[in-house]
Amino acid sequence: MKLLIINGPNLNLLGTREPDIYGNQTFKEYFDDLQRKFGDVELSYYQSNIEGELIDMLHDARKEFDGIILNAAAYTHTSVAIADAIKAIETPVVEVHISNTHAREEFRHKSYLSPVVKGVILGFGLKSYDLAIQSFL
């Protein structure tokens, strides 16, 4: 099984960005843990702060991966284009969020992606990614 994790804007700052919400671990450290934990799964990782690059990666991933785990971050709440990209590919996508977006600001309660993904996992910290991987197994 080959899975791609795609992270959107500002998630490159995990470990230092709002640690009370996102924790103290960098995603690189966490990704290394995931690779050890799920050694039988080929995991790849991509991060961009640019909406178009995330869309390009979704398009490219459809040829190579069995599933995509997507944390589009703030684009979750604004990007019809990313939702359209998900609809345009057959590769299943699981939407993840580190925080419980429904317990935060009102604008974070709406996801343009949720209606077009296989499932949504949120609020379990970085463990949300573990749960998303397990959903493909």
Side-chain angles (χ1 to χ4, degrees), residues 1-3 5 30-44 69 126-137:
M1 167 130 341
K2 290 178 67 173
L3 299 177
I5 297 171
Y30 181 67
F31 185 71
D32 291 343
D33 292 344
L34 285 176
Q35 288 181 303
R36 282 189 289 278
K37 182 174 182 177
F38 297 99
D40 55 339
V41 178
E42 187 177 329
L43 293 173
S44 296
I69 297 162
L126 290 173
K127 295 288 183 204
S128 295
Y129 294 89
D130 288 61
L131 296 169
I133 292 168
Q134 290 174 21
S135 77
F136 283 106
L137 300 179

Side-chain angles (χ1 to χ4, degrees), residues 75-125:
Y75 288 135
T76 300
H77 319 292
T78 63
S79 183
V80 173
I82 291 176
D84 285 348
I86 294 167
K87 286 194 308 189
I89 64 174
E90 293 182 18
T91 308
V93 176
V94 172
E95 175 185 348
V96 300
H97 298 284
I98 296 167
S99 67
N100 177 353
T101 57
H102 298 287
R104 298 184 63 195
E105 303 93 337
E106 181 73 27
F107 75 89
R108 296 186 196 274
H109 299 184
K110 167 78 172 155
S111 168
Y112 285 97
L113 312 183
S114 294
V116 298
V117 297
K118 174 185 173 187
V120 180
I121 300 169
L122 54 88
F124 294 96

Side-chain angles (χ1 to χ4, degrees), residues 5 14 19 24-25 33 44 49 60 66 81 92 97:
I5 297 171
L14 286 176
N24 295 314
Q25 191 174 26
D33 292 344
S44 296
N49 295 315
D60 292 345
D66 301 305
H97 298 284

